[in-house]
Amino acid sequence: MSNDRIWILLGKQLSGDISPAELLELEALLKDDPEAAASRELAGSIWQTPVQEVAATGSSKERIWEAVDQQLHPRRHRAIIRRLVAAAAAAAVLAAAWTGWQLMGPTAPVLQQLSSAPGGKSRIVLPDGSIVWLNANTQLKYEKNSFGKQHREITLTGEAFFDIAKNDGIPFIIHAGKVNIRVLGTAFNVKAYEGDSAVFTTLVRGKIAVSFQEKTVVLQPEEKLTVPVRPLATAFQQKRLQKDSSGQLAEISWLNNKLAFDNNTFGELAAKMSQWYGVSFHFESASLEQLRFSGIIDTESIEEALKMLQMSRPFNYQINGKEVRISN
Amino acid sequence: MRDDIPELQNKVYNGDTQAFKELYDCFCASLLQLAMAMVHNREMAEEIVADVFIAVWNKRKSLPQVTNLKWYLYAATRNIALNYLRKYAHKKTLQLDESYLPDYEINPEAQLISNEMVRHINKAIGELPPQCRLIFKLVKEDGLKYREVAVLLNISIKTVENQVGIALKKLTQMKGILTIPLTGNH
């Protein structure tokens, strides 16, 4: 009974705040201490015994509510000035702290914000090893210091494909508007642009739970869930998806069908386009290879793409089957 | 503690005053206790708790961004209490004042464990040292995480661990407890 460590660990276990290592330690300690082991059950009962304090009940509770209630109907009551000043001060404190606290840890929160370039897409590896592909005009936010340690929560605006690193201890949670998506380790697509009328979630593999207001839906692979958010509706639409002829889900085709380039030389771009279209490039002069371009090739054909490039730099091209000749 | 806080949070976000009152009923006592332990003054503690709820109501449109409303309320109470303390410069550090810590009574809704047992346990809790009692209450009754309690009370997680351990040890070793048959086990 003299071993205080047992009690510390028992407390942590009962409160659900115990780590796997500590749990093992507790089991080992209890094995060596039959007396404490007998008290374990008792400690469990004590923990489950509900207690309620007397102090705050009665007059305090009513007085506070009176002050608060006046604020619910500001036009009906003119509140006491002191109250207003206090409330304003409190509101200022809250306003300042609000943003940081949404992903609060005990240390000062640092909000990490990642954005894809307008019109471009980006691949990001999060601190926990999860990989995220951001589609155009997409933002991802998370709390830098505690992400991956205490939680794995991010806020998404836009569209992204997630390949989540497995971590059974800390579920990965995505907040997309009013829809929350909870993951253990899986790959899926979320489309939640600000202008979208719904949040679209498409699961590729694994399992995810999507919750919105009080409802939760578990998605199976190759299922797509549509949650209408404008106008707000509680009805989910869940449907099984068909793969297209290339064996791909159309929902994640954006991952593949965009070729983004930013101030690349024509030579570098030609290398990318060669892979993209399965062609080979031949430049008539080295100076042509030094021309620089920025842009994206989406679903354009190679001819359309070259015409687009011609609009920013003068050159001629000739396509012969799988060969593309670039000339002055 | 209720488990439908997210639901309440959403209703409050939508301007539901009834849900707001329920939220108030759920947290008022706990927050007042925390505030009193910090500012040692009932009137000021009442103002602090009122400020917390007024701010929540006035900023309800931002509620969807709050991922853990319970913790948010506790943290807001602590911060506003610290602000009051700074303003009045009475105390710089937290001290727990025994006179403002509540006595415990039985919650009549939950009768899983025999009344005799509940009475004994509550008596035993009432006899814990003030800081120990507050920490135990925040962890057990309010369901706060150890690190959350540590942040709230400006103490180390080690202290929280120790105090909860001490509370449990003392409670299980209370005279008489072992002689009462346990009826609440599953």
Side-chain angles (χ1 to χ4, degrees):
Chain A
M1 278 308 213
S2 60
N3 192 343
D4 290 340
R5 182 70 184 156
I6 287 185
W7 296 105
I8 289 173
L9 292 173
L10 268 179
K12 298 191 87 170
Q13 190 195 18
L14 289 167
S15 66
D17 226 348
I18 196 165
S19 70
E22 287 170 330
L23 196 58
L24 287 174
E25 186 189 347
L26 175 63
E27 297 299 341
L29 285 171
L30 286 172
K31 224 176 248 174
D32 298 339
D33 190 343
E35 208 182 336
S39 303
R40 181 190 208 176
E41 212 178 331
L42 183 62
S45 297
I46 289 172
W47 199 268
Q48 277 160 29
T49 305
V51 288
Q52 206 177 41
E53 58 269 39
V54 182
T57 52
S59 59
S60 272
K61 205 172 166 185
E62 278 165 29
R63 270 200 303 277
I64 299 170
W65 179 250
E66 261 173 49
V68 173
D69 194 37
Q70 286 188 351
Q71 298 296 315
L72 303 192
H73 317 282
R75 261 166 247 133
R76 210 177 66 199
H77 294 280
R78 276 283 153 216
I80 315 156
I81 289 171
R82 193 171 78 124
R83 166 65 55 217
L84 280 175
V85 172
V93 172
L94 288 185
W98 200 279
T99 330
W101 278 359
Q102 49 181 289
L103 297 162
M104 176 141 179
T107 47
V110 181
L111 204 60
Q112 178 81 43
Q113 185 169 331
L114 304 166
S115 304
S116 54
K121 62 177 183 178
S122 325
R123 178 182 182 273
I124 290 160
V125 181
L126 295 173
D128 69 330
S130 297
I131 303 166
V132 186
W133 286 264
L134 302 181
N135 203 349
N137 299 315
T138 295
Q139 283 191 339
L140 205 63
K141 289 181 207 162
Y142 62 88
E143 210 285 288
K144 200 178 172 184
N145 290 336
S146 54
F147 182 91
K149 294 171 200 136
Q150 287 135 22
H151 67 81
R152 296 197 291 169
E153 291 188 39
I154 58 140
T155 305
L156 169 77
T157 316
E159 181 166 25
F161 183 83
F162 296 87
D163 196 343
I164 305 297
K166 202 167 165 57
N167 181 341
D168 289 341
I170 313 175
F172 197 104
I173 298 171
I174 296 151
H175 303 283
K178 292 182 185 64
V179 177
N180 299 317
I181 299 152
R182 198 182 170 86
V183 199
L184 287 172
T186 188
F188 58 98
N189 192 68
V190 178
K191 183 166 173 287
Y193 282 111
E194 259 167 5
D196 283 351
S197 61
V199 173
F200 306 92
T201 310
T202 305
L203 182 61
V204 175
R205 64 179 149 79
K207 203 183 230 185
I208 54 176
V210 183
S211 60
F212 173 63
Q213 298 188 343
E214 292 112 71
K215 288 190 188 172
T216 299
V217 172
V218 175
L219 276 194
Q220 302 299 327
E222 287 165 37
E223 279 187 344
K224 177 184 182 178
L225 188 74
T226 303
V227 181
V229 291
R230 194 167 298 116
L232 270 176
T234 45
F236 289 145
Q237 193 208 345
Q238 186 171 6
K239 74 170 186 190
R240 184 131 202 104
L241 295 170
Q242 301 296 320
K243 286 184 176 175
D244 65 18
S245 52
S246 64
Q248 264 224 337
L249 297 172
E251 275 68 17
I252 56 166
S253 60
W254 65 268
L255 278 173
N256 309 314
N257 69 5
K258 271 188 195 154
L259 178 64
F261 44 99
D262 185 14
N263 199 29
N264 287 133
T265 64
F266 208 167
E268 292 164 341
L269 179 56
K272 288 184 181 183
M273 288 175 76
S274 305
Q275 272 192 330
W276 192 256
Y277 291 107
V279 296
S280 60
F281 277 80
H282 301 281
F283 289 92
E284 200 180 81
S285 73
S287 64
L288 281 168
E289 284 188 68
Q290 295 310 310
L291 294 175
R292 283 181 182 273
F293 296 96
S294 296
I296 320 157
I297 295 168
D298 201 334
T299 49
E300 289 86 350
S301 69
I302 187 160
E303 185 144 19
E304 287 169 331
L306 289 167
K307 278 186 177 149
M308 186 180 85
L309 295 177
Q310 275 182 321
M311 286 157 77
S312 65
R313 295 279 185 278
F315 65 85
N316 290 310
Y317 66 87
Q318 201 181 351
I319 303 171
N320 293 316
K322 295 278 175 198
E323 282 198 5
V324 181
R325 294 196 170 275
I326 306 295
S327 56
N328 282 306
Chain B
M1 192 137 300
R2 312 171 51 134
D3 55 6
D4 61 342
I5 302 302
E7 198 179 319
L8 281 183
Q9 182 172 351
N10 191 47
K11 284 181 178 167
V12 172
Y13 161 73
N14 288 315
D16 184 336
T17 53
Q18 184 58 41
F20 183 65
K21 179 66 165 61
E22 281 175 43
L23 189 73
Y24 173 81
D25 287 337
C26 184
F27 287 106
C28 175
S30 298
L31 299 181
L32 184 65
Q33 187 190 342
L34 176 65
M36 281 204 291
M38 290 179 70
V39 301
H40 307 249
N41 176 301
R42 178 174 284 268
E43 202 183 317
M44 207 188 282
E46 286 178 9
E47 270 191 46
I48 289 163
V49 175
D51 287 350
V52 171
F53 282 100
I54 289 167
V56 167
W57 180 256
N58 289 341
K59 304 224 113 211
R60 62 186 177 279
K61 286 298 161 206
S62 315
L63 275 178
Q65 293 156 33
V66 176
T67 51
N68 183 344
L69 183 59
K70 181 172 82 175
W71 166 244
Y72 179 80
L73 290 170
Y74 279 89
T77 304
R78 171 190 180 269
N79 282 19
I80 292 173
L82 285 177
N83 258 22
Y84 269 76
L85 287 177
R86 259 180 233 123
K87 202 156 62 177
Y88 296 102
H90 288 150
K91 292 265 195 309
K92 280 201 169 152
T93 52
L94 301 185
Q95 269 178 9
L96 305 176
D97 187 335
E98 178 141 33
S99 58
Y100 288 114
L101 281 170
D103 297 324
Y104 287 92
E105 71 176 10
I106 300 158
N107 178 356
E109 289 166 22
Q111 297 274 340
L112 287 170
I113 300 171
S114 77
N115 285 337
E116 186 71 353
M117 173 91 174
V118 172
R119 211 170 51 78
H120 266 81
I121 290 172
N122 281 292
K123 186 166 168 286
I125 290 173
E127 284 167 12
L128 292 172
Q131 193 188 27
C132 183
R133 201 195 312 166
L134 178 65
I135 292 168
F136 187 64
K137 193 253 175 194
L138 288 172
V139 172
K140 173 185 167 327
E141 215 59 23
D142 300 353
L144 292 183
K145 298 271 172 228
Y146 280 43
R147 65 171 176 84
E148 293 174 335
V149 175
V151 171
L152 279 180
L153 302 179
N154 200 22
I155 54 181
S156 70
I157 292 179
K158 273 268 166 288
T159 306
V160 179
E161 289 179 353
N162 287 334
Q163 293 296 319
V164 173
I166 287 168
L168 265 184
K169 185 178 176 182
K170 284 192 174 170
L171 292 177
T172 48
Q173 287 169 7
M174 274 296 291
K175 229 176 167 181
I177 276 193
L178 277 171
T179 63
I180 298 158
L182 304 176
T183 57
N185 290 336
H186 301 284

